[in-house]
Amino acid sequence: MFRFRSIRSRLAVTFLLTIIAVMLIVGLFLDQLLERYYIKSLEENLLRSGNLAGQFVSAYLQEEADPVRLSWLAENFGRQSRARVIFVNEKMVVLGDSVRVGGLLGQLLDREEIKDALAGESGFAIQYSELSRQKVMQVALPIYADNETVGAVFLSASLQEIGKIMADTRRFFLLTTLLAAIVAGVGAVILARRFSGPLELLSEAAGSMAEGRLDQKIEVQSADEIGRLAQRFNYMAEQLNYHTKNLRNFVANVAHEVRTPLASLSLIIKSLKNYQMEPEQQQEFIDDLDREMDRLIALVQDLLDLTTLEGGAARFAPVDLREVIGKLYQQAAPRFDHQEVRLLTDLPVKRVLVSGAALQLRQVFQNLLDNALKSTASGGWVKISLGAEETAASIKIEDTGCGIPEKDLPFIFERFYRIDQARSREEGGTGLGLAIVKETVEAHGGRVWAESEEGKGSTFYVNLPLLAESVNDN
Ligand code: ADP
């Protein structure tokens, strides 16, 4: 269907109209120029012939004029200049006419141009001749003898030939315009198809995506803007598809994680309701209930933390990492003592300032310390060190724990990834601790990674960009 709103038709129509307008303007201009040129050259031709004839016959006009001779001369000049030539005396009586039969010999030729010529100027007119039924150019020139006007020569030439040439030119030009318009039209349609084809594909694919079919890919090979748009679109579709799958996985994982403690809770509550128990046994069940509740609350808290981090809502301010880690050390020390794991620190003398959210950064080091403590047996040690390099603050948390198997190391920062599912849950882990660490560090423009040797221990590294002012600090 020919829709006037499509790029294709708009482009084609614009192309056509432009070509036609340009050709018409050029055509009109050329037409005027040509016609003027032809007329001018005919006029010059007539004037030249007229002058020549006038000079030639001036001697004959002085003597007794011989009409036969003069007519014969007029005929000769007429043949040369392809015009009718008439000689008149100073009283405007025709003395010679190149038209022998039915000519004006002996008659009075009372015309404005001749009057002008007798007054000493050349007369000129273009008019429609009733006699020959065509447009003619008429020129009259004075004939002098001894500096006196003795008569005039009158030439009349048909413009029919010029008319014919002009008509031919116009026809040729119209034909050229028509051809150019056809070529332009076809070109425009081909060009527009190259544009609108991929755009239609894009629009269809976008529509499919809106309806939920995210695995869209457009085949566009061109390297122009449309090709780049298609590439971007494909990339966007890929990313959207990937993130949506991720999100679906995440939701499935969350549901799975929540179901386990909920199932335990339901079981405990049903047991309490349905069975008669000794008070001590009842207390045990209530303790289980408490533990499962804590686990659920921890999970929900972790999920909340992750979502807040992803929202990027936290406001950043200068944070002194030495102070954050120092306080954390004091709070965590009793728990380490309790499990007979030594907690060591290596803090610099100067402040180490980064831009960030203090509570979130504290959470990062807390998670890393908790993990280290969980995996280190009594008698071992955990060390947290802080240093400042040129542009980055570097934090290192080493432990002498069980280590992380090489095959698990690349995945430990993923959500819900646990090395030993059962044990981790048993210890109250949500599988989100390291995901929160990574998300937070990256939101602060930093990087986190781990090295580990199974059976010997692990080291976690965190790098955060330093605040410029702390570099020149006291
Ligand atoms: P969780 O909250 O269950 O501990 P994390 O995301 O914090 O989950 O950790 C992911 C996995 O990496 C867990 O299975 C955990 O046991 C393991 N892990 C983390 N830190 C260490 C460490 N320092 N030493 C050994 N294993 C660790």
Side-chain angles (χ1 to χ4, degrees):
M1 194 177 77
F2 188 84
R3 280 168 301 159
F4 210 64
R5 269 195 258 145
S6 74
I7 291 187
R8 195 179 308 174
S9 47
R10 263 194 261 170
L11 206 69
V13 169
T14 313
F15 246 58
L16 274 182
L17 288 182
T18 312
I19 290 282
I20 291 174
V22 168
M23 291 297 276
L24 281 184
I25 291 170
V26 171
L28 270 171
F29 182 71
L30 275 182
D31 189 80
Q32 293 278 315
L33 208 71
L34 262 181
E35 193 165 28
R36 230 177 290 157
Y37 166 78
Y38 280 134
I39 286 177
K40 189 87 199 149
S41 68
L42 180 67
E43 186 192 344
E44 274 167 13
N45 196 20
L46 287 184
L47 284 175
R48 209 177 310 122
S49 304
N51 252 324
L52 213 67
Q55 278 169 22
F56 199 83
V57 300
S58 78
Y60 296 100
L61 284 192
Q62 282 167 290
E63 299 161 14
E64 193 56 31
D66 173 4
V68 180
R69 193 173 178 80
L70 280 173
S71 291
W72 181 77
L73 283 172
E75 198 182 350
N76 271 334
F77 279 110
R79 212 175 295 132
Q80 273 168 31
S81 56
R82 296 157 66 104
R84 179 178 187 179
V85 177
I86 293 173
F87 299 119
V88 295
N89 64 12
E90 74 275 20
K91 294 195 181 81
M92 297 195 287
V93 175
V94 175
L95 301 178
D97 187 346
S98 61
V99 174
R100 297 290 195 88
V101 184
L104 299 168
L105 209 58
Q107 293 182 23
L108 186 73
L109 191 58
D110 187 3
R111 298 189 62 97
E112 282 306 312
E113 307 88 72
I114 293 179
K115 276 184 196 156
D116 285 346
L118 289 175
E121 282 167 29
S122 62
F124 173 84
I126 288 180
Q127 55 181 235
Y128 185 77
S129 157
E130 289 292 343
L131 210 70
S132 51
R133 293 179 185 279
Q134 53 180 296
K135 247 174 136 185
V136 290
M137 180 187 284
Q138 293 166 333
V139 169
L141 292 164
I143 300 174
Y144 297 110
D146 299 332
N147 282 334
E148 266 188 49
T149 317
V150 290
V153 53
F154 175 81
L155 298 98
S156 166
S158 160
L159 289 176
Q160 206 174 20
E161 212 163 308
I162 294 180
K164 230 190 269 170
I165 293 175
M166 289 312 297
D168 278 353
T169 314
R170 275 172 209 147
R171 236 193 323 272
F172 173 76
F173 214 82
L174 275 180
L175 208 72
T176 322
T177 307
L178 201 71
L179 267 174
I182 291 172
V183 171
V186 171
V189 168
I190 292 172
L191 200 71
R193 192 163 292 166
R194 279 194 52 199
F195 282 149
S196 62
L199 288 180
E200 269 166 26
L201 280 180
L202 263 169
S203 128
E204 254 172 50
S208 301
M209 286 186 78
E211 283 162 16
R213 294 190 296 280
L214 296 182
D215 52 342
Q216 300 295 323
K217 190 168 166 63
I218 303 168
E219 297 296 339
V220 176
Q221 254 86 41
S222 64
D224 53 14
E225 289 89 337
I226 291 184
R228 284 207 295 279
L229 177 66
Q231 269 177 11
R232 291 262 162 95
F233 180 89
N234 285 343
Y235 179 65
M236 182 193 77
E238 237 173 61
Q239 288 290 312
L240 206 62
N241 206 4
Y242 170 76
H243 288 299
T244 311
K245 271 189 191 149
N246 254 2
L247 195 68
R248 255 184 232 140
N249 276 346
F250 180 61
V251 172
N253 282 337
V254 169
H256 180 77
E257 292 298 325
V258 173
R259 202 181 54 188
T260 317
L262 280 181
S264 308
L265 281 176
S266 159
L267 196 73
I268 295 167
I269 292 169
K270 280 201 178 85
S271 311
L272 282 171
K273 213 168 74 176
N274 297 337
Y275 301 107
Q276 282 288 346
M277 296 182 198
E278 297 297 314
E280 303 91 68
Q281 209 182 359
Q282 213 170 24
Q283 188 56 46
E284 247 173 61
F285 270 89
I286 288 172
D287 286 346
D288 284 349
L289 200 71
D290 197 27
R291 216 176 25 252
E292 290 299 334
M293 273 313 242
D294 279 350
R295 188 178 299 176
L296 207 55
I297 288 168
L299 179 65
V300 170
Q301 187 55 51
D302 277 358
L303 284 172
L304 268 179
D305 285 351
L306 261 185
T307 359
T308 331
L309 283 172
E310 277 172 359
R315 210 178 292 158
F316 282 12
V319 177
D320 179 12
L321 290 181
R322 194 185 56 166
E323 190 187 327
V324 171
I325 294 174
K327 275 190 191 157
L328 192 63
Y329 168 76
Q330 282 168 6
Q331 280 170 6
R335 276 191 294 133
F336 278 75
D337 279 349
H338 184 70
Q339 291 191 30
E340 291 169 12
V341 172
R342 265 196 303 156
L343 179 59
L344 310 167
T345 52
D346 180 8
L347 300 180
V349 197
K350 294 179 187 172
R351 298 196 295 170
V352 177
L353 285 183
V354 296
S355 170
L359 278 179
Q360 287 181 5
L361 289 173
R362 185 181 186 283
Q363 185 72 49
V364 166
F365 306 127
Q366 166 124 38
N367 285 3
L368 293 174
L369 277 183
D370 283 353
N371 281 349
L373 179 60
K374 269 190 246 170
S375 56
T376 307
S378 56
W381 54 262
V382 170
K383 181 173 171 188
I384 178 162
S385 331
L386 171 66
E389 286 150 26
E390 243 169 57
T391 54
S394 60
I395 302 97
K396 191 162 81 168
I397 290 139
E398 297 164 86
D399 67 53
T400 50
C402 57
I404 300 164
E406 211 179 316
K407 66 170 177 41
D408 294 303
L409 204 55
F411 308 109
I412 52 171
F413 291 99
E414 284 180 12
R415 293 160 177 174
F416 297 116
Y417 192 85
R418 298 185 180 98
I419 293 166
D420 182 345
Q421 293 283 353
R423 217 190 75 193
S424 166
R425 272 215 195 87
E426 198 55 38
E427 285 168 354
T430 59
L432 292 172
L434 287 181
I436 292 176
V437 167
K438 184 165 191 274
E439 199 82 42
T440 311
V441 171
E442 284 177 358
H444 281 75
R447 212 162 73 80
V448 57
W449 70 102
E451 289 168 3
S452 185
E453 205 176 316
E454 227 184 324
K456 286 203 169 164
S458 318
T459 307
F460 282 77
Y461 298 89
V462 176
N463 267 11
L464 290 167
L466 269 186
L467 254 191
E469 57 184 281
S470 65
V471 177
N472 310 318
D473 212 21
N474 51 0

